[in-house]
Amino acid sequence: MLNPWPELLTYGLVAPLGLRWAAGLIFVNTGWRQIKSPNEKLIGLCKLLGGGLITLGLFTQPAAALLGLWSLRDWKAKGGLQYPLLAAFCLSLLFSGAGFLAFDWPL
């Protein structure tokens, strides 16, 4: 494969780290806001825990699969452009693994 900057390929494990932190912190923020709502406490707790797992790199691929499906469900129910973007983040983490600075092994 022809690449204009082949030396950047050595940093391939850093890309999932950025995706993991971005998606995880978004899910933690969303879950924290939903915990405060009386009707969505369980959903908020699941998003908070799943986002924390993705951020830390624990069980990244199963958490990304579940939260990706959940974000697609939210997209269908609520609309908005952030949900397909989160689903794409989760799909990327599902295929690539946790990357650098993670506590789990790839499945």
Side-chain angles (χ1 to χ4, degrees), residues 79-97:
L81 294 177
Q82 69 271 22
Y83 299 115
L85 182 64
L86 280 174
F89 280 8
C90 291
L91 185 67
S92 175
L93 288 173
L94 181 65
F95 288 143
S96 68

Side-chain angles (χ1 to χ4, degrees), residues 32-106:
W32 183 254
R33 283 188 285 135
Q34 285 181 339
I35 282 179
K36 295 178 182 179
S37 173
N39 297 335
E40 299 179 338
K41 285 192 183 290
L42 183 62
I43 294 170
L45 182 65
C46 290
K47 284 186 180 180
L48 183 71
L49 291 175
L53 287 175
I54 286 179
T55 303
L56 292 175
L58 291 168
F59 301 108
T60 302
Q61 289 172 317
L66 292 174
L67 289 176
L69 290 174
W70 212 316
S71 64
L72 288 176
R73 184 195 64 86
D74 285 345
W75 180 40
K76 185 177 179 183
K78 300 175 185 176
L81 294 177
Q82 69 271 22
Y83 299 115
L85 182 64
L86 280 174
F89 280 8
C90 291
L91 185 67
S92 175
L93 288 173
L94 181 65
F95 288 143
S96 68
F100 190 61
L101 293 177
F103 293 105
D104 67 349
W105 294 98

